[in-house]
């Protein structure tokens, strides 16, 4: 007994983490407590007592080694017994069946994607068997849920055969947040009261001649309506100048819906189709305002002479009116651009048809390419196709110097570095890839015939196989009424681009600005 007491005095105690204690089953503890006494050489209890009876203070190395082994055993036990809620394969491209979350099954993923594709009209008559096939394939592959894909059957525009189209729900197609903004065309009380006298005006008339392409003409028509309102004059239907580059002789009523234009603006400006007979012999006051003029400048410059002569003729209105207008005039500008200027019925119908053909297989990107010969000449830039085409552009610029609208004191390389040149096909391809455009993205390209023809588009065609223009999508004979009518063809492009999911211009211009608003 004395020896036993002496041994008890020599006992040292070690604090063991509770996790290790919990990891040891109760049956093991019970067996240790209830084990019968045996000889000191054979019983486990005696060995444990001897282990704890060691004086660790005299051997620190043994103490720390023992702690390390106990801790290692506890960590191993803890790791094998506790179920971790996170996947043990965080970076793999496929998930083993036992580690998939029950709410992230492939079947539910395909069902969700199927609803998305049905919404956008991707199926075109696909049966339920197609969906079942997609479900079975996705269950076999067990792809990551983040790469949501849907296989649907549709008709191929190129060869008329059925093909499997993969629609990807990626960030590239995500629509921007509107932040609650909406059109506001509620005019002030003073504006509405002044309208009664303006729309009854029959003594003063404003005539305008607009030039340039369709989108440039469109902007000038908008400003013409606002100037007519500022002067309190009736607006004679704008005259479209024959385009020097394309030779297009289209008139206002060929491009826009004339009756709709008059009806929408009935409470803002009095619009007439032609100058009345009472003013035919009147010599009009002519003018061409400078850039960014204000309403007060227009009144001071033209109102007195207009009251005296009765007719005012303005030319070259491109960017002449200030962008910073009073609220009511700015609302009128928006009303003209987005409500009154509706395209003529034949143009609108064909544009809608082509947009529906692009939409039939899901979202699409509209790309406005500015690669025509006149664009390279006007901007002072080079297409970069070959020395042959660079020489063509340089010669045209020398023969027709008036076409150069860019700064003449800058070299081509200086313009390029300053970002003043249109992007060519190689540069547009790089930009789309950098933005994350899928290789199977459906792209509608708008614009005139590029310098160099189809060869100039090869970088885009090789990278994105679903690359279409209005000529590719129109049925035989549909574009015949618009042949050699650059303004009407541009209007069709505008409609298809406006209805796209993503729009990107290769060069800043009037069409890009109008669609981005």
């Amino acid at each position: 007994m004395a020896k036993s007491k002496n041994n008890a005095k020599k006992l040292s105690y070690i604090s063991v983490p509770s996790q290790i204690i919990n990891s040891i089953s109760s049956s093991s503890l019970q067996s240790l407590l209830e084990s019968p006494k045996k000889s000191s050489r054979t019983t486990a209890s005696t060995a444990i007592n001897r282990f704890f009876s060691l004086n660790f203070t005299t051997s620190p190395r043994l103490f720390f080694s023992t702690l390390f082994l106990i801790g290692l055993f506890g960590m191993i036990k803890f790791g094998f017994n506790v179920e971790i809620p996170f996947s043990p394969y965080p970076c793999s491209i496929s998930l083993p069946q036992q580690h998939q979350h029950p709410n992230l099954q492939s079947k539910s993923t395909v069902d969700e994607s199927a609803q998305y594709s049905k919404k956008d009209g991707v199926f075109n008559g696909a049966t339920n068997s197609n969906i079942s096939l997609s479900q079975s394939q996705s269950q076999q592959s067990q792809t990551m849920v983040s790469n949501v894909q849907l296989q649907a059957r549709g008709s191929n525009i190129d060869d008329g055969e059925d093909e499997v189209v993969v629609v990807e729900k990626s960030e590239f197609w995500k629509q921007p947040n509107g932040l609650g903004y909406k059109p506001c065309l509620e005019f002030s009380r003073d504006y509405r009261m002044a309208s009664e006298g303006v729309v009854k005006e029959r003594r003063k008339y404003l005539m305008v001649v607009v030039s340039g392409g369709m989108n440039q003409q469109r902007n000038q028509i908008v400003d013409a309506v606002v100037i007519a309102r500022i002067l309190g004059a009736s607006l004679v239907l704008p005259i479209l100048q024959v385009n020097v580059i394309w030779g297009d002789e289209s008139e206002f009523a060929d491009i826009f819906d004339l009756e709709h234009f008059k009806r929408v603006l009935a409470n803002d400006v009095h619009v007439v189709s032609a100058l009345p007979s009472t003013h035919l012999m009147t010599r009009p006051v002519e003018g061409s305002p400078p850039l960014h003029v204000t309403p007060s400048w227009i009144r001071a410059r033209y109102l007195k002479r207009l009251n005296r002569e009765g007719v005012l003729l303005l030319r070259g209105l491109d960017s002449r009116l200030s962008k910073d207008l009073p609220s009511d005039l700015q609302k009128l500008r928006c009303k003209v651009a987005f409500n009154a200027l509706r395209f003529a019925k034949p143009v609108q119908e064909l544009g809608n048809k082509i947009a529906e053909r692009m939409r039939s297989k899901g979202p699409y990107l509209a790309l406005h390419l500015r690669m025509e010969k006149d664009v390279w000449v006007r901007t002072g830039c080079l297409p970069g196709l070959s020395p042959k085409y660079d020489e063509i552009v340089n010669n045209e610029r020398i023969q027709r110097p008036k076409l150069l609208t860019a700064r003449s004191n800058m070299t081509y390389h200086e313009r390029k570095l300053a970002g003043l040149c249109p992007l060519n096909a190689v540069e547009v391809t790089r930009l789309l890839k950098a933005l994350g455009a899928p290789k199977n993205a459906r792209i509608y390209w708008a614009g005139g015939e590029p310098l160099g023809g189809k060869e100039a588009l090869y970088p885009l065609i090789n990278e994105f196989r679903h690359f279409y223009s209005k000529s590719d999508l129109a049925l035989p004979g549909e574009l015949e009424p618009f042949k050699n009518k650059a303004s009407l063809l541009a209007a069709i492009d505008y409609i298809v681009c406006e209805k796209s999911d993503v729009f990107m211009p290769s060069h800043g211009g009037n069409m890009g600005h109008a669609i981005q608003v």
Side-chain angles (χ1 to χ4, degrees):
M1 292 296 292
K3 184 177 182 179
S4 175
K5 289 181 180 179
N6 292 334
N7 291 339
K9 293 179 180 179
K10 295 181 180 179
L11 286 179
S12 300
Y13 295 93
I14 303 173
S15 60
V16 181
S18 60
Q19 292 90 341
I20 299 177
I21 299 299
N22 293 336
S23 64
I24 302 176
S25 61
S26 59
S27 60
S28 300
L29 293 174
Q30 189 70 18
S31 62
L32 290 175
L33 295 174
E34 296 179 358
S35 59
K37 294 183 178 180
K38 295 183 180 180
S39 63
S40 60
R41 295 181 181 179
T42 58
T43 62
S45 61
T46 304
I48 294 175
N49 290 334
R50 284 185 177 184
F51 173 76
F52 284 107
S53 66
L54 293 175
N55 189 355
F56 289 103
T57 60
T58 61
S59 181
R61 184 176 300 176
L62 179 61
F63 173 73
F64 288 111
S65 299
T66 305
L67 279 182
F68 174 77
L69 292 175
I70 295 174
L72 180 63
F73 172 78
M75 291 174 62
I76 295 175
K77 184 69 176 177
F78 178 78
F80 276 106
N81 285 351
V82 179
E83 292 186 1
I84 302 175
F86 304 105
S87 171
Y89 305 95
C91 299
S92 63
I93 60 174
S94 61
L95 292 175
Q97 183 67 28
Q98 64 269 24
H99 291 292
Q100 271 197 326
H101 194 279
N103 294 332
L104 298 179
Q105 297 295 327
S106 299
K107 182 177 184 298
S108 62
T109 302
V110 172
D111 290 342
E112 179 183 354
S113 301
Q115 294 176 359
Y116 170 81
S117 299
K118 283 183 178 180
K119 178 181 177 182
D120 288 337
V122 179
F123 276 175
N124 289 337
T127 60
N128 292 333
S129 61
N130 293 331
I131 303 178
S132 301
L133 176 62
S134 300
Q135 294 173 359
S136 62
Q137 290 176 348
S138 63
Q139 289 175 353
Q140 292 173 3
S141 62
Q142 297 295 333
T143 56
M144 289 291 287
V145 177
S146 60
N147 298 328
V148 182
Q149 294 184 341
L150 170 69
Q151 293 186 355
R153 298 191 62 82
S155 59
N156 189 355
I157 293 179
D158 295 332
D159 51 16
E161 298 177 358
D162 286 346
E163 67 172 359
V164 175
V165 179
V166 179
V167 180
E168 296 183 2
K169 290 176 64 176
S170 66
E171 289 292 323
F172 183 78
W173 302 111
K174 186 177 180 180
Q175 296 300 302
N177 187 353
L179 300 177
Y181 287 99
K182 59 182 180 180
C184 178
L185 294 179
E186 296 180 0
F187 295 95
S188 66
R189 183 172 178 272
D190 292 339
Y191 179 92
R192 294 194 303 271
M193 292 179 62
S195 297
E196 298 179 4
V198 172
V199 296
K200 295 179 180 179
E201 176 59 48
R202 299 295 185 270
R203 297 178 297 104
K204 299 178 295 185
Y205 292 88
L206 172 65
M207 300 178 63
V208 294
V209 178
V210 298
S211 58
M214 190 277 296
N215 292 288
Q216 193 174 358
Q217 293 173 346
R218 189 172 180 269
N219 290 343
Q220 295 176 56
I221 294 171
V222 171
D223 286 351
V225 174
V226 178
I227 292 175
R229 174 75 190 199
I230 293 172
L231 296 173
S234 297
L235 176 65
V236 181
L237 204 63
I239 302 170
L240 308 188
Q241 187 176 4
V242 177
N243 192 286
V244 179
I245 304 296
W246 302 294
D248 188 356
E249 299 181 356
S250 299
E251 297 181 356
F252 184 96
D254 297 326
I255 306 174
F256 303 104
D257 189 335
L258 175 57
E259 296 305 320
H260 177 79
F261 182 75
K262 291 181 177 180
R263 183 168 57 253
V264 171
L265 299 177
N267 296 326
D268 303 283
V269 174
H270 178 229
V271 180
V272 295
S273 300
L275 199 63
S277 57
T278 55
H279 290 68
L280 287 177
M281 302 304 294
T282 303
R283 184 177 181 178
V285 177
E286 296 191 24
S288 181
L291 294 172
H292 311 304
V293 297
T294 62
S296 58
W297 187 95
I298 292 175
R299 294 190 187 98
R301 180 74 174 181
Y302 298 118
L303 185 56
K304 186 176 180 180
R305 290 190 292 171
L306 177 59
N307 288 332
R308 183 177 64 248
E309 303 294 338
V311 179
L312 172 64
L313 175 62
L314 296 180
R315 302 177 185 270
L317 291 181
D318 190 24
S319 300
R320 298 309 192 225
L321 188 60
S322 172
K323 305 301 180 185
D324 186 14
L325 297 176
S327 178
D328 286 325
L329 294 180
Q330 188 61 42
K331 290 178 181 180
L332 176 60
R333 175 181 264 162
C334 294
K335 183 177 182 179
V336 179
F338 303 109
N339 289 2
L341 281 177
R342 186 173 70 183
F343 292 112
K345 187 176 180 180
V347 178
Q348 189 71 44
E349 289 179 349
L350 182 56
N352 290 340
K353 288 179 181 178
I354 293 178
E356 289 172 3
R357 290 164 192 168
M358 284 297 299
R359 173 74 62 193
S360 64
K361 293 184 181 178
Y364 69 93
L365 159 71
L367 189 62
H368 188 212
L369 298 178
R370 302 309 313 274
M371 300 168 58
E372 301 95 328
K373 177 182 176 181
D374 73 290
V375 174
W376 298 116
V377 174
R378 285 189 295 102
T379 57
C381 301
L382 297 176
L385 293 172
S386 66
K388 170 187 173 183
Y389 292 108
D390 291 348
E391 184 178 359
I392 292 175
V393 173
N394 284 325
N395 291 337
E396 186 75 16
R397 196 176 296 142
I398 293 173
Q399 295 174 6
R400 308 173 72 178
K402 292 184 178 180
L403 294 180
L404 179 62
T405 57
R407 298 177 183 176
S408 57
N409 60 342
M410 296 179 66
T411 65
Y412 157 66
H413 294 289
E414 290 174 340
R415 292 190 182 96
K416 190 77 172 177
L417 292 176
L420 301 177
C421 290
L423 301 180
N424 58 32
V426 174
E427 294 163 337
V428 172
T429 303
R430 291 174 182 169
L431 180 57
L432 287 176
K433 292 173 67 176
L435 292 173
K439 290 182 68 67
N440 65 345
R442 296 172 56 78
I443 300 177
Y444 176 87
W445 71 272
E449 182 69 19
L451 179 64
K454 193 173 183 180
E455 177 185 351
L457 301 174
Y458 277 163
L460 280 164
I461 296 174
N462 293 336
E463 188 67 30
F464 302 98
R465 60 191 182 96
H466 300 294
F467 192 73
Y468 309 112
S469 68
K470 51 186 171 292
S471 301
D472 300 322
L473 299 169
L475 299 178
E478 282 186 329
L479 290 176
E480 191 63 29
F482 310 101
K483 188 177 181 180
N484 298 326
K485 302 284 187 181
S487 295
L488 300 181
L489 295 175
I492 294 173
D493 281 339
Y494 184 96
I495 295 170
V496 182
C497 291
E498 188 182 28
K499 294 179 179 294
S500 66
D501 298 270
V502 179
F503 171 77
M504 190 184 83
S506 66
H507 184 57
N510 295 300
M511 179 173 174
H513 294 158
I515 292 181
Q516 291 171 3
V517 171

